[in-house]
Amino acid sequence: MEVCFFCFSFSVSAMQMQEWLRSLRPSGDGVGKSEVLDIRSLLPSLPSSFSFSSLSLSSPSLIGLGAVASLTVYWLVTRPRPIRPPCDLQAQSVPVQGDSCCRRSALLKDDNLLDFYHEDTKTVYDVFQRGLRIAGEGPCLGFRKPGEPYQWISYKEVAERAQVLGSGLLAKRCLIQPNSNQFVGIFAQNRAEWTIAELACYTFSMAVVPLYDTLGLEAIVHILKLAEISLVICDQEEKAACLMGNKEKGLTPALSCLVLFNPVSTALVERGKNCGVEVLHLSQIMGFFVIRQEDVSVSYLPLAHMFERMIQVTMFCHGARVGFYQGDISLLMDDIKTLKPTFFPVVPRIINRIYDKVCISHYSQMTSPLRRAILHYAVRRKQAELSSGIVRNNSVWDRLVFNKIQASLGGNVRFILTASAPISPTVLSFLRAALGCLIFEGYGQTECTAGCTFSMPGDWSAGHVGAPLPCARVKLTDIPDMNYYAKNGKGEICVQGPSVFQGYLHDQERTAEALDSEGWLHTGDVGQWLPNGTLQIIDRKKHIFKLSQGEYIAPEKIENVYMRCVPVLQVFVHGEHLQSYLIGIVVPDPEVFVGWVKGKGIVGSYEELCQNPDVKKAVLEDMTAVGKEAGLKSFEQVKDLYLHPEMFSVSNGLLTPTLKSRRVELCKVFSEQIQRMYSKAD
């Protein structure tokens, strides 16, 4: 129903005003009782004997009353409504059979876990078919060239191309007999063909084995041999040549066919013939289908990991579309602005960068005390709305203060999911207010099909990863060495349910380490149950080491704290059992570092400042202050550090594809600096 503003005419009478107030009584489809009380609370208190009919009002007074009435109706109709949580937020999970250490989702009616959300979607192939029925000719996969808009392949066309690719692989005898024990390797960056190739395998009941550069030669050879992979689909000729080299050395005898997305040289085809590997271009498999443009993907998290795969499966299930980034993480923000996504999956390292670069850098330019005061007030007002369950991006504060931040992500984001590692409550609370969208945290790993907990809609508190999903039970078990005991609500996080994997292929030893006899997956993470039934990640059993005085250290927890320091872009915390203190390798943020140091009276180039002892001292002091504020104990604070001018990255082998630190490699690369820092104390 539309409301016509200022519809009261100049001849409105007191009786008409009285009739309007009477119309505010609760009705089936009208304004509720609480709204009536809200309205009356806005009016001044009047004697019980008061009646509008006894008034004799002038025309200006009547006009004013009409305006107030109209504005009140407008406020009632348009005011934001809070999101209603699906369960009691103070009891988001419940004990299983009375055991407070083991909990399940409060969304379940009983202890029976959820196997399938939709009865017609029991495989990934079913999921895509459901999306196809919903969307049909609607857009599914998007790609773009630099500087150009996104182009889209429809659900129907993706399904057809997957069918054609699978049939072509069989027709070319790249595969002997399709079945669930037939493994197909995909060795490519995120791009549309990656997803189409995956769907082609699922269409013919084959399993996909992702490969990626940072695995290293030894790991790739191990996987190819273990799974007896005969067919690998690649994007670039360089990767195909690497695989062929393994074949020539006799390391991967089963490999017999390589299919490339990009053009294939005659030399590579001939080389393949000499070692028994058939080399084909995608067009030779699919006939009419050739990708006409370079792949660019808003799907930037590696498809070789389950998190991004499950994101795509979920989007397909609902007939939604997936765009791909250009393959260069430095251009991701430009891709997002062009694509204008409504859903943005992130990992903490990415969302921290957004917070630092888009939010802090932008508003640090607000030199006016008045502007800063308005910003802080706007954040408080939006956070107050969040505490009431209201999430929106159309308030006056969004238009006046936060519109530039929202525009930097395309302006249409309504749902962000962060996973992979804990995120700072400060960052999460600020971004929820500034972006005006739903931001959820999840927790899990590949071995439990990406997720086992998820924050509840309506719960906008920070510092936890939500309650167990309906498909999982989660319990905590004792870790005596770290003084964590389940009876105290703390321990190693274990997961059980239909989403947990069955084991590692041909590796009973590692399977026995991960899965116990009752089917519980031991994650290696340490958590605690909060009073409202949500799970908080507090430590990491893996990567734990002990200092010489016997104190256990969880370096990733400390690194997450130090990442909140303004001059710090990346940090690696290191310790040794023969040493009594920690040291750190810090990569300063090149976009703010020089200005931050200049504010302390020190000038120079980025590289010069990294070598300046006074700068190192200033950074160490800032990190110590942030660590103390975050509650780090004295032995958890780094006592010395080395400023490194080059970023840790996937390409230099210091980060995993999910942007986590490769700790062993970092120790090797910085062994000289580590030894030098420890030698100072000797």
Side-chain angles (χ1 to χ4, degrees):
M1 185 179 85
E2 295 185 0
V3 178
C4 183
F5 306 115
F6 300 102
C7 60
F8 290 84
S9 66
F10 293 120
S11 61
V12 65
S13 66
M15 185 62 71
Q16 286 173 309
M17 172 62 79
Q18 196 171 30
E19 287 298 319
W20 175 77
L21 284 172
R22 189 180 298 117
S23 72
L24 291 178
R25 291 174 180 169
S27 61
D29 55 356
V31 180
K33 182 176 180 180
S34 61
E35 280 84 351
V36 176
L37 294 176
D38 287 342
I39 295 169
R40 290 177 176 171
S41 68
L42 298 176
L43 300 175
S45 59
L46 298 171
S48 58
S49 60
F50 175 82
S51 171
F52 277 101
S53 60
S54 65
L55 286 177
S56 178
L57 300 176
S58 63
S59 294
S61 298
L62 291 172
I63 293 172
L65 282 172
V68 170
S70 298
L71 289 172
T72 303
V73 172
Y74 170 72
W75 174 74
L76 282 172
V77 173
T78 62
R79 68 172 180 167
R81 296 293 192 270
I83 293 176
R84 295 188 177 182
C87 70
D88 182 357
L89 295 181
Q90 300 307 312
Q92 298 182 33
S93 64
V94 298
V96 176
Q97 297 180 351
D99 182 1
S100 62
C101 298
C102 177
R103 306 183 74 89
R104 63 161 174 83
S105 172
L107 299 178
L108 295 171
K109 295 180 180 179
D110 51 38
D111 287 348
N112 294 317
L113 299 181
L114 183 70
D115 286 319
F116 304 103
Y117 193 77
H118 300 285
E119 282 302 315
D120 60 344
T121 56
K122 297 185 177 181
T123 66
V124 177
Y125 174 80
D126 293 339
V127 166
F128 188 81
Q129 292 302 309
R130 184 177 190 274
L132 176 61
R133 291 193 296 272
I134 294 172
E137 295 286 356
C140 178
L141 302 179
F143 55 92
R144 66 183 284 239
K145 285 183 178 179
E148 295 185 7
Y150 271 81
Q151 297 187 32
W152 294 93
I153 308 172
S154 71
Y155 269 80
K156 183 178 180 182
E157 191 173 1
V158 169
E160 291 173 348
R161 294 181 179 189
Q163 180 75 35
V164 170
L165 175 55
S167 300
L169 292 173
L170 295 175
K172 287 285 185 179
R173 296 189 177 182
C174 298
L175 299 167
I176 301 173
Q177 182 64 41
N179 58 66
S180 59
N181 294 319
Q182 177 74 63
F183 299 101
V184 176
I186 302 181
F187 191 12
Q189 196 176 34
N190 290 28
R191 52 192 295 171
E193 299 100 318
W194 205 113
T195 299
I196 292 170
E198 179 187 26
L199 290 171
C201 293
Y202 297 155
T203 300
F204 290 88
S205 301
M206 295 178 289
V208 170
V209 179
L211 305 169
Y212 46 93
D213 293 330
T214 54
L215 283 173
L217 175 62
E218 185 177 346
I220 290 175
V221 169
H222 172 73
I223 292 170
L224 293 176
K225 290 177 65 176
L226 186 70
E228 299 178 346
I229 295 175
S230 60
L231 166 66
V232 178
I233 302 172
C234 307
D235 52 357
Q236 301 173 3
E237 185 167 315
E238 292 79 3
K239 294 177 182 176
C242 176
L243 295 175
M244 197 174 294
N246 297 333
K247 171 74 171 184
E248 291 169 336
K249 296 174 184 177
L251 300 176
T252 54
L255 184 64
S256 61
C257 185
L258 294 172
V259 177
L260 274 74
F261 299 151
N262 292 352
V264 182
S265 68
T266 304
L268 186 68
V269 174
E270 292 301 319
R271 180 182 172 186
K273 290 180 179 178
N274 295 333
C275 64
V277 176
E278 184 175 14
V279 181
L280 301 168
H281 185 258
L282 198 62
S283 60
Q284 296 173 269
I285 301 293
M286 302 190 67
F288 69 89
F289 167 57
V290 180
I291 290 292
R292 295 178 294 274
Q293 296 178 327
E294 282 296 315
D295 279 333
V296 287
S297 168
V298 91
S299 167
Y300 67 99
L301 297 174
L303 280 165
H305 286 258
M306 192 56 69
F307 181 38
E308 178 63 24
R309 301 272 285 288
M310 289 299 101
I311 292 297
Q312 290 200 10
V313 164
T314 303
M315 299 295 278
F316 295 156
C317 184
H318 294 86
R321 46 182 167 170
V322 176
F324 294 85
Y325 81 140
Q326 298 178 69
D328 185 346
I329 198 70
S330 66
L331 301 176
L332 177 62
M333 297 305 293
D334 179 61
D335 290 332
I336 291 172
K337 289 178 184 177
T338 304
L339 182 64
K340 301 182 185 302
T342 60
F343 174 44
F344 183 30
V346 296
V347 292
R349 191 181 293 269
I350 294 294
I351 207 167
N352 285 337
R353 291 281 288 169
I354 293 173
Y355 174 78
D356 293 336
K357 299 296 173 284
V358 178
C359 303
I360 299 303
S361 297
H362 174 71
Y363 290 111
S364 64
Q365 300 171 8
M366 290 185 172
T367 55
S368 166
L370 177 61
R371 288 187 175 184
R372 288 183 177 272
I374 291 174
L375 168 63
H376 295 316
Y377 184 75
V379 171
R380 288 199 300 272
R381 291 310 309 152
K382 289 295 295 292
Q383 289 177 341
E385 286 194 340
L386 279 171
S387 65
S388 300
I390 296 171
V391 181
R392 58 171 175 159
N393 59 5
N394 59 356
S395 71
V396 63
W397 305 113
D398 292 299
R399 291 190 289 270
L400 294 178
V401 180
F402 301 122
N403 60 329
K404 288 187 178 180
I405 292 181
Q406 294 165 9
S408 69
L409 295 181
N412 293 337
V413 174
R414 65 181 184 85
F415 178 31
I416 291 176
L417 173 59
T418 174
S420 177
I423 186 171
S424 163
T426 301
V427 173
L428 192 59
S429 297
F430 180 87
L431 289 179
R432 277 175 170 160
L435 297 177
C437 66
L438 304 173
I439 303 181
F440 294 98
E441 280 195 87
Y443 165 75
Q445 51 190 213
T446 293
E447 287 83 352
C448 61
T449 322
C452 62
T453 72
F454 198 84
S455 54
M456 199 73 70
D459 181 5
W460 310 126
S461 59
H464 63 80
V465 292
L469 287 168
C471 61
R473 296 184 191 91
V474 179
K475 74 172 181 179
L476 304 178
T477 59
D478 295 344
I479 312 175
D481 290 346
M482 299 176 69
N483 202 31
Y484 290 127
Y485 294 95
K487 66 180 181 180
N488 299 325
K490 299 180 180 180
E492 182 181 7
I493 300 168
C494 300
V495 186
Q496 185 189 63
S499 61
V500 173
F501 81 145
Q502 297 178 6
Y504 298 107
L505 182 67
H506 303 327
D507 196 336
Q508 292 298 322
E509 183 177 350
R510 286 193 62 211
T511 298
E513 292 175 1
L515 292 174
D516 62 26
S517 59
E518 296 179 346
W520 287 96
L521 169 66
H522 291 249
T523 65
D525 291 312
V526 182
Q528 71 172 351
W529 291 117
L530 299 183
N532 65 349
T534 58
L535 183 68
Q536 183 180 53
I537 310 299
I538 60 173
D539 221 328
R540 179 76 172 157
K541 187 178 178 183
K542 298 177 181 177
H543 305 312
I544 293 290
F545 54 81
K546 188 189 292 186
L547 296 177
S548 60
Q549 68 270 40
E551 300 287 0
Y552 282 96
I553 298 296
E556 291 167 323
K557 180 188 76 172
I558 300 170
E559 290 163 357
N560 286 332
V561 170
Y562 287 150
M563 288 289 287
R564 298 276 38 87
C565 298
V566 173
V568 175
L569 176 64
Q570 296 170 317
V571 59
F572 166 61
V573 172
H574 177 77
E576 297 178 2
H577 70 284
L578 296 178
Q579 302 292 342
S580 62
Y581 62 92
L582 301 174
I583 59 174
I585 307 295
V586 172
V587 178
D589 190 331
E591 296 186 23
V592 301
F593 183 55
V594 175
W596 183 82
V597 173
K598 187 177 181 180
K600 298 183 179 298
I602 307 173
V603 295
S605 67
Y606 177 75
E607 289 76 12
E608 290 171 345
L609 294 174
C610 286
Q611 300 175 15
N612 189 315
D614 293 332
V615 173
K616 184 181 83 168
K617 181 181 178 182
V619 173
L620 183 58
E621 289 175 350
D622 188 67
M623 290 171 59
T624 302
V626 170
K628 186 175 181 180
E629 183 180 353
L632 292 184
K633 298 179 177 65
S634 176
F635 62 83
E636 292 179 305
Q637 296 267 28
V638 298
K639 299 300 187 286
D640 198 359
L641 58 83
Y642 169 73
L643 296 178
H644 185 61
E646 182 183 350
M647 285 179 58
F648 309 155
S649 66
V650 177
S651 59
N652 62 25
L654 299 181
L655 293 182
T656 70
T658 51
L659 306 182
K660 294 179 181 177
S661 298
R662 289 187 176 277
R663 312 195 73 83
V664 175
E665 293 302 317
L666 283 163
C667 285
K668 291 179 181 177
V669 170
F670 295 104
S671 59
E672 182 180 340
Q673 289 83 356
I674 290 172
Q675 185 177 1
R676 189 184 306 131
M677 282 187 278
Y678 276 132
S679 65
K680 292 179 183 179
D682 295 339

